[in-house]
Amino acid sequence: MGFVNIRYATVDDAQYLLDIYSYYVKNTAISFEYNVPSLDEFRIRIENTLKKYPYLVLEENGIIKGYAYAGPFKTREAYKYSVENTIYLKRGENKKGYGRLLLEALENELFKTGFENANACIAYTEKEDEYLNNNSMQFHEHMGYRLVGTFHKCAYKFNRWYDMIWMEKLIGTHGDK
């Protein structure tokens, strides 16, 4: 591994991040979007996220290898200390430690800003296929997340049904606020 830097994303990163994300939209059931968002839409997503939540980019030797961000778990006030997090690595860059570095950095940023629970919504299948394996679930388990719920056959992509699981990790102290 070369020189690795994790920093906050900017809207100027949008094209690079969209290039990473578009693979997952077009070729996998990891994202349940059918169409790749436009560059303008992706810029707006980054901008809106950064208003309240961390949005991180991992670079190795100046080349973006992945990104991770958090967003609202639910919009009601009582959920304000919980987030849903997301992580994407450039195709072919898994199993190199980037995911661990990114998720740990994201959780640290969340903790520093007062968030208590990190939740991950993950595509899942009982029978792995060319569009989906369960590596994301296994990665999150390895990172200390635990399964808290399954929605069966709730997403339809590539002419087949997929499940969605929720995993959580308590990252805060859960003291009085």
Side-chain angles (χ1 to χ4, degrees):
M1 190 179 298
F3 174 72
V4 173
N5 180 47
I6 296 176
R7 61 171 175 80
Y8 268 76
T10 71
V11 291
D12 294 336
D13 296 316
Q15 184 62 64
Y16 300 103
L17 306 185
L18 183 57
D19 289 345
I20 292 170
Y21 182 61
S22 65
Y23 170 79
Y24 293 98
V25 173
K26 291 189 262 186
N27 302 292
T28 78
I30 291 169
S31 168
F32 288 146
E33 283 197 80
Y34 279 17
N35 300 305
V36 175
S38 70
L39 180 57
D40 286 340
E41 168 62 23
F42 212 74
R43 281 189 180 118
I44 290 167
R45 291 181 186 186
I46 293 169
E47 202 169 59
N48 287 338
T49 298
L50 286 168
K51 288 177 184 175
K52 186 172 179 183
Y53 303 98
Y55 200 129
L56 304 179
V57 169
L58 182 142
E59 300 171 316
E60 182 180 24
N61 299 325
I63 298 168
I64 294 175
K65 301 292 186 168
Y67 64 96
Y69 62 91
F73 171 63
K74 295 293 234 173
T75 57
R76 299 254 163 59
E77 187 72 13
Y79 295 112
K80 68 183 174 184
Y81 301 108
S82 297
V83 297
E84 178 183 345
N85 58 30
T86 301
I87 183 169
Y88 285 100
L89 296 178
K90 188 174 180 180
R91 184 174 183 231
E93 299 294 346
N94 58 326
K95 308 278 187 207
K96 297 181 179 180
Y98 300 140
R100 170 181 282 286
L101 291 171
L102 260 175
L103 193 54
E104 285 175 347
L106 182 65
E107 290 170 358
N108 287 334
E109 287 296 306
L110 290 166
F111 177 77
K112 286 192 302 191
T113 52
F115 292 102
E116 302 282 344
N117 293 27
N119 302 291
C121 179
I122 300 169
Y124 177 81
T125 183
E126 289 183 18
K127 184 179 178 194
E128 294 184 1
D129 60 32
E130 68 270 31
Y131 303 111
L132 184 64
N133 59 41
N134 291 320
N135 288 351
S136 185
M137 180 200 68
Q138 294 157 357
F139 167 74
H140 281 83
E141 281 179 341
H142 184 72
M143 295 296 295
Y145 286 70
R146 67 181 187 94
L147 179 67
V148 292
T150 303
F151 294 89
H152 300 279
K153 298 181 182 3
C154 63
Y156 190 75
K157 191 171 179 182
F158 302 120
N159 298 313
R160 57 195 79 181
W161 290 99
Y162 292 100
D163 297 344
M164 177 184 73
I165 61 171
W166 278 97
M167 299 184 80
E168 73 174 359
K169 183 175 182 180
L170 305 181
I171 60 171
T173 60
H174 292 85
D176 291 338
K177 295 288 183 180

